[in-house]
Amino acid sequence: MTDPSPRLSPTSARVGTTDELAAPGESAKPRRRSYVAGVVYQTIGRRGAAIGAVWLGVIAFFAVFAPLLANSHPIVWKLEGQGVSSPLLRHLSPADVTLLVMTVLLLPGL
């Protein structure tokens, strides 16, 4: 005896195929992305992941610029007979200067 119920193939059982998702008058071809673009879209495409990436960016910004933002030394100092100096820049460590310079040079490349 045969089963009278129709059997669905794996492709016909999918919900939301490209034919159903295409706008009227547009082709139903799926959008092609490179591998890297697909990985980035799948990672950052979710709302929580995007919010997390923005938060990491804010933390990275403050980590890089903290030596300038949380410094108690004056930016410019003018003394009688000695001219103008910058105690803020004088008290930066070599690691602070390297991190700031690398960030300023590499940030436009992103």
Side-chain angles (χ1 to χ4, degrees):
M1 190 167 210
T2 61
D3 187 14
S5 64
R7 300 209 179 247
L8 298 175
S9 67
T11 56
S12 64
R14 282 187 288 169
V15 177
T17 61
T18 55
D19 294 332
E20 296 170 7
L21 298 176
E26 291 184 9
S27 67
K29 292 181 181 178
R31 187 178 199 185
R32 301 199 117 244
R33 293 187 179 102
S34 69
Y35 177 74
V36 174
V39 168
V40 169
Y41 178 76
Q42 288 177 355
T43 303
I44 305 296
R46 297 181 178 156
R47 183 178 214 157
I51 292 170
V54 169
W55 180 245
L56 287 175
V58 168
I59 291 173
F61 172 82
F62 284 112
V64 169
F65 292 102
L68 298 176
L69 297 172
N71 198 328
S72 62
H73 300 289
I75 297 171
V76 178
W77 184 280
K78 182 177 180 182
L79 293 174
E80 300 261 342
Q82 292 183 357
V84 178
S85 68
S86 177
L88 183 139
L89 295 177
R90 195 170 350 124
H91 287 91
L92 290 177
S93 71
D96 295 335
V97 173
T98 303
L99 191 57
L100 288 168
V101 168
M102 294 304 289
T103 301
V104 169
L105 291 177
L106 296 177
L107 194 61
L110 295 178

